[in-house]
Amino acid sequence: AADQEKVVDTMPSHHELLKMRTSSIARLGRQREWQQAVAALERLPRQRLAPDVFVHGAVMGAMEKSHQWKGALQLLRDVLERALKCDAACYNTTISACE
């Protein structure tokens, strides 16, 4: 029983898992792998993780770096439709993708 408690205690929380996925997506963005960043976003619900504005922002950043303005605009629309709070960075990243 004590060993099972240790395993449960060492499992990352939902927040920690989401933060790790966000970091991975941001890394894909820096590598201009926007399709993989989108795919990672789409896998989150199957992993029982609810994408937040930070995950969406990381994907928008990937699209910005690859000049995928249509995708960035669609993602912004999705964020707003899901009633996630979009901060200035979210809007600025989308605008930069359009330049």
Side-chain angles (χ1 to χ4, degrees):
D3 288 338
Q4 287 178 336
E5 287 179 25
K6 286 182 183 179
V7 171
V8 171
D9 288 343
T10 60
M11 291 178 61
S13 69
H14 179 275
H15 175 73
E16 291 168 332
L17 282 172
L18 199 54
K19 192 173 179 180
M20 290 176 358
R21 299 298 186 272
T22 302
S23 294
S24 296
I25 291 170
R27 185 172 48 256
L28 290 168
R30 289 190 295 276
Q31 298 168 348
R32 291 177 170 58
E33 298 286 345
W34 69 272
Q35 293 104 332
Q36 289 182 9
V38 171
L41 172 67
E42 291 171 348
R43 283 192 301 271
L44 290 177
R46 290 191 300 268
Q47 297 169 347
R48 298 179 193 238
L49 295 171
D52 61 11
V53 70
F54 300 108
V55 174
H56 284 90
V59 177
M60 284 179 192
M63 291 182 175
E64 172 197 15
K65 288 173 182 58
S66 299
H67 307 289
Q68 297 297 317
W69 63 272
K70 288 181 184 178
L73 286 172
Q74 180 60 51
L75 196 54
L76 177 62
R77 187 175 302 123
D78 292 347
V79 167
L80 297 174
E81 285 176 1
R82 292 180 183 171
L84 295 173
K85 289 189 176 186
C86 194
D87 60 5
C90 216
Y91 290 110
N92 288 339
T93 301
T94 304
I95 291 167
S96 293
C98 297
E99 294 177 342

